[in-house]
Amino acid sequence: MTASISEIPATERTVHHRGFDLAVHEYGDPDAETVILVHGWPDTHHLWNGVIPLLAGRFHVVAYDTRGHGASTRTARVADFRLAELAADFYAVADAVSPDRPVHVLAHDWGSVQVWEAVCEPQATDRIASFTSVSGPNLDHLAAWVRARLRGPGPRSIWQPFTQLLSSAYTGFFMTPGLPRLAFGLLATEQRWRRFIQLMNDTAPSTIFFAPTLKQDMVNGLLIYRANILAHMLKPRERTTDVPVQLIVAGRDIAVRPAGYDDSGQWVSRLWRRDVPAGHWMPFSHPELLATATTELVDAVENGVLTAGGEEQTPVGEPRKQPRRLRVAE
């Protein structure tokens, strides 16, 4: 039986970077390969409480609170939440916990978005061995996908961007100065947020983990939307990477529609994709799947072949214009 997070020995450290103190939590053998877990909004490292015990027996597992969340330094400056700053924080944590070896990464939501920024940096292949992305796109890739679809013929070219616009409509509200912060400050409670996640993911309350700072994280973390959405969607950059990337695509994701990832192979030389009939918060609803998928990609980097469910997939190192796609049963 898998141990609970409370039974896994943990050590804590603080990584100081550009005026921010980042609260870092480490599990497992520090001499083993390192897997860094990066959360999104409005979560903290507690997002990974169900995943960490599944990885800590083999890996050096590191989870940290990103700036503005949990026990890390808070800020009211929009500029402090720009992806370039968040990616630099990630590299600071990686350098602190694994200075001599590249790290593997599993990231969710805005955590995935900021790691996408990191894996497209020039130093990425030296410091990042693999990246498993869950429910968080590269914003520049998503913007390019929208533009490409709108230029295409037929109703599908309009329908796909339109459905993504509907799914992303909440971000317009989140970017409104003052109002969303007031709304979350007055109305958001742990009970209501837990119920919302249960409805979106069809998962048990006992598998959902929050930090005591949830309400603060909801309010403070909203600045990440204002700092990044318009800047990247209106002026997308050409961002490519040779880091092996695995997309875990949630078919019932309320934020990013599965079609939004369809062009990822244009920018990623080594790419795999798993489509899962799940909602947005898979770290809560599918911890075993995420732990297994991450481990399989680590093994692929080591052995040169990705094996998923006993099936040999495209060898790592063979670029594909279209990723190998797996459909995962619920």
Side-chain angles (χ1 to χ4, degrees):
M1 183 176 180
T2 304
S4 68
I5 188 66
S6 62
E7 299 173 296
I8 306 295
T11 59
E12 299 178 8
R13 75 165 82 190
T14 300
V15 173
H16 308 282
H17 183 246
R18 296 183 180 176
F20 285 82
D21 291 341
L22 304 173
V24 179
H25 305 262
E26 300 178 62
Y27 311 83
D29 183 359
D31 294 325
E33 286 192 274
T34 298
V35 176
I36 299 181
L37 312 178
V38 189
H39 69 83
W41 178 91
D43 299 300
T44 64
H45 74 281
H46 291 281
L47 173 80
W48 303 107
N49 281 6
V51 177
I52 290 169
L54 302 171
L55 294 173
R58 171 175 169 181
F59 301 107
H60 173 217
V61 182
V62 177
Y64 69 99
D65 294 342
T66 62
R67 60 170 65 187
H69 296 77
S72 294
T73 302
R74 298 187 179 276
T75 176
R77 283 174 21 100
V78 173
D80 288 332
F81 285 92
R82 289 173 181 160
L83 289 182
E85 297 297 322
L86 297 168
D89 284 350
F90 165 80
Y91 277 116
V93 172
D95 289 343
V97 301
S98 183
D100 301 321
R101 288 193 292 181
V103 300
H104 301 271
V105 192
L106 169 63
H108 174 258
D109 187 74
W110 275 103
S112 179
V113 176
Q114 61 191 269
V115 176
W116 268 114
E117 182 74 10
V119 300
C120 292
E121 290 295 297
Q123 72 270 36
T125 53
D126 293 328
R127 297 299 295 125
I128 303 175
S130 74
F131 171 33
T132 297
S133 167
V134 186
S135 295
N138 181 302
L139 294 184
D140 299 289
H141 296 171
L142 183 61
W145 171 82
V146 170
R147 293 179 179 213
R149 290 302 181 274
L150 292 177
R151 290 193 299 265
R156 185 181 180 188
S157 298
I158 302 298
W159 177 249
Q160 287 184 336
F162 177 71
T163 57
Q164 179 57 59
L165 179 63
L166 289 179
S167 294
S168 302
Y170 71 95
T171 63
F173 172 68
F174 282 8
M175 289 187 287
T176 305
L179 186 58
R181 294 169 65 86
L182 178 63
F184 277 105
L186 293 176
L187 301 176
T189 65
E190 179 177 321
Q191 182 179 11
R192 288 171 178 165
W193 192 245
R194 187 181 301 276
R195 181 58 180 159
F196 173 73
I197 292 176
Q198 281 182 258
L199 291 173
M200 293 299 102
N201 282 67
D202 191 24
T203 188
S206 60
T207 66
I208 301 172
F209 305 97
F210 298 139
T213 55
L214 175 64
K215 195 160 188 174
Q216 280 181 289
D217 300 330
M218 281 184 166
V219 174
N220 294 346
L222 284 169
L223 295 179
I224 199 170
Y225 290 88
R226 289 175 59 191
N228 296 294
I229 294 289
L230 291 180
H232 291 270
M233 295 303 291
L234 294 179
K235 293 184 178 180
R237 303 161 297 165
E238 183 72 19
R239 302 285 282 171
T240 63
T241 185
D242 290 322
V243 172
V245 176
Q246 175 176 214
L247 298 174
I248 310 294
V249 179
R252 298 196 296 268
D253 196 322
I254 61 171
V256 183
R257 304 307 304 147
Y261 300 96
D262 285 353
D263 291 349
S264 297
Q266 295 181 18
W267 302 286
V268 183
S269 62
R270 293 178 287 178
L271 180 69
W272 296 264
R273 171 172 171 163
R274 303 186 194 220
D275 288 87
V276 184
H280 181 76
W281 277 274
M282 276 195 281
F284 295 148
S285 63
H286 291 72
E288 294 87 357
L289 185 150
L290 297 187
T292 298
T294 301
T295 301
E296 288 174 346
L297 187 57
V298 172
D299 289 339
V301 171
E302 291 183 350
N303 304 324
V305 175
L306 179 63
T307 302
E311 178 186 358
E312 183 176 305
Q313 305 302 320
T314 306
V316 173
E318 180 182 327
R320 299 181 61 94
K321 292 185 179 180
Q322 295 297 324
R324 174 68 176 183
R325 296 179 67 159
L326 309 173
R327 300 205 177 271
V328 181
E330 186 140 35

